[in-house]
Amino acid sequence: MAASRPFASKEDMFSKSDSIWATCGRPEILEAFLAHPKIGDNKAAAAHGGKWASNEQKGMNQASTQTADAMAKGNKDYEEKMGFRYIVCATGKSAEEMLGILQSRIKNDPDTELANGAAEQNKITHLRLNKLVAEHSGASL
């Protein structure tokens, strides 16, 4: 991305990001997944993902103990079945929504889930690029 700068517009930046992401293979996708804390792991979100990850997963902050426990178990079961971490664009979702999505997606095969996770990763990338632009408004894209 950095080598592609400057961008003509925010849309150009998103288009370049999408193009780069579309060329990524399984190893690069899995590497990107590992950069995310598990949904519901607030300590890891704060330490690993900083303020953005913590804020994106804030729907888990209001989770009941039952929902939080179910998410932890679901994360473990998902990772055992798929071989990689559950990725969902958590922004704006409640704990119950994220758990429901996990429970629905765990029924899929690993290849389908790699594609689903990659699509969710791309949504997260767009949100974070927007945040980056907002934090540096006035700076050149």
Side-chain angles (χ1 to χ4, degrees):
M1 281 293 292
S4 302
R5 291 186 67 208
F7 302 105
S9 64
K10 195 159 70 166
E11 292 74 23
D12 181 40
M13 179 180 63
F14 288 137
S15 177
K16 186 61 178 177
S17 171
D18 291 345
S19 294
I20 293 169
W21 186 240
T23 66
C24 290
R26 183 181 180 88
E28 294 87 5
I29 292 169
L30 294 178
E31 181 180 349
F33 288 2
L34 288 174
H36 291 277
K38 293 178 183 178
I39 298 293
D41 187 347
N42 293 334
K43 267 187 170 174
H48 190 75
K51 65 181 178 182
W52 288 353
S54 294
N55 192 41
E56 289 162 0
Q57 291 193 26
K58 70 182 176 187
M60 286 301 298
N61 294 344
Q62 288 79 40
S64 68
T65 301
Q66 180 182 3
T67 299
D69 289 348
M71 181 63 77
K73 182 179 181 335
N75 278 329
K76 181 179 178 294
D77 293 346
Y78 182 98
E79 201 160 340
E80 285 175 3
K81 178 179 179 184
M82 303 302 169
F84 50 84
R85 185 166 295 174
Y86 166 59
I87 301 293
V88 65
C89 183
T91 299
K93 291 179 178 63
S94 69
E96 291 76 16
E97 286 176 277
M98 290 183 272
L99 179 59
I101 293 166
L102 185 152
Q103 290 169 337
S104 172
R105 286 179 39 194
I106 200 167
K107 298 171 188 171
N108 294 329
D109 63 87
D111 288 338
T112 299
E113 273 309 291
L114 187 70
N116 286 338
E120 292 297 301
Q121 172 67 49
N122 202 37
K123 291 177 193 175
I124 295 164
T125 299
H126 278 235
L127 287 170
R128 291 184 178 181
L129 285 172
N130 268 323
K131 291 174 188 175
L132 187 63
V133 168
E135 284 184 2
H136 299 282
S137 60
S140 163
L141 294 176

